[in-house]
Amino acid sequence: MEAWDAICARRNVRRYRSEPIPVADLNRIAEAGRRAPSAKNRQPWDFVIVTDRARLEQLATVWQGAGHIATAAAAFALVVPTPPDERRRLTDQYDLGQATMAMMIAATDLGIGTAHSGVGDQDAARAILGVPDDHLVSYLIGIGYPADRALTPIRDPDRRPAAEVVHRERW
């Protein structure tokens, strides 16, 4: 798939087929996140790949919007050190957003659906994943082959019109 097609085909997928994701594909998706840009090239992230069904079901409980993680073929947990100040927190979250999108585009390119989730219960997430107390489990990305339809470019996405979003020179 071409990069533009992957961008246009990417959508949140929360219902998955039961088949596992090949390890090579999981590694490729992780590599896309590892290659994402970051402020001052700090690369603050660590990624935990989860494929164990019981662990995925446990992770689904750490946020009200994480239910899809229970039925995903795998999940990525995006982890960063607890930030020392607000500026670092903001840059780390921006960096994780870039890594998340890179991973989602890479997954789409492989025909693998994704949906992200926040993490509310840090203590539970850290315990489930064995993450040290001085780190935050910031986001989860559920991944799996879509149960409903393949990932193909969406002609008319549910998005605000470009004329409302894109401004030239001034607001």
Side-chain angles (χ1 to χ4, degrees):
M1 187 179 292
E2 295 290 324
W4 183 248
D5 289 341
I7 290 168
C8 292
R10 199 223 62 82
R11 61 185 165 84
N12 285 335
V13 174
R14 293 185 179 91
R15 290 185 334 115
Y16 311 101
R17 297 191 321 242
S18 61
E19 64 197 88
I21 306 296
V23 172
D25 290 350
L26 292 172
N27 291 341
R28 183 175 179 140
I29 295 165
E31 180 67 8
R34 191 181 75 82
R35 288 174 175 252
S38 68
K40 297 184 180 180
N41 200 30
R42 286 192 328 51
Q43 307 167 57
W45 46 63
D46 284 277
F47 309 128
V48 180
I49 302 171
V50 179
T51 58
D52 177 75
R53 177 63 44 216
R55 196 173 313 276
L56 290 166
E57 290 171 0
Q58 291 175 318
L59 282 174
T61 68
V62 301
W63 183 253
Q64 71 269 15
H68 65 281
I69 301 296
T71 59
F76 286 86
L78 285 70
V79 179
V80 292
T82 301
D85 54 42
E86 182 65 7
R87 180 174 172 79
R88 182 67 62 83
R89 186 188 72 76
L90 290 172
T91 58
D92 284 355
Q93 294 309 300
Y94 188 86
D95 290 351
L96 287 174
Q98 294 185 100
T100 298
M101 192 62 180
M103 295 166 86
M104 290 177 149
I105 296 297
T108 301
D109 182 55
L110 296 166
I112 298 168
T114 60
H116 60 285
S117 169
V119 176
D121 189 340
Q122 284 295 316
D123 291 336
R126 283 192 290 259
I128 293 164
L129 298 169
V131 170
D133 288 343
D134 62 346
H135 283 66
L136 297 174
V137 182
S138 293
Y139 302 105
L140 302 172
I141 305 172
I143 72 168
Y145 297 103
D148 55 354
R149 65 187 193 278
L151 295 167
T152 58
I154 301 167
R155 290 181 193 237
D156 188 21
D158 184 16
R159 291 285 180 257
R160 289 175 45 209
E164 289 181 16
V165 176
V166 179
H167 308 274
R168 306 251 182 231
E169 306 296 341
R170 292 179 50 92
W171 186 273

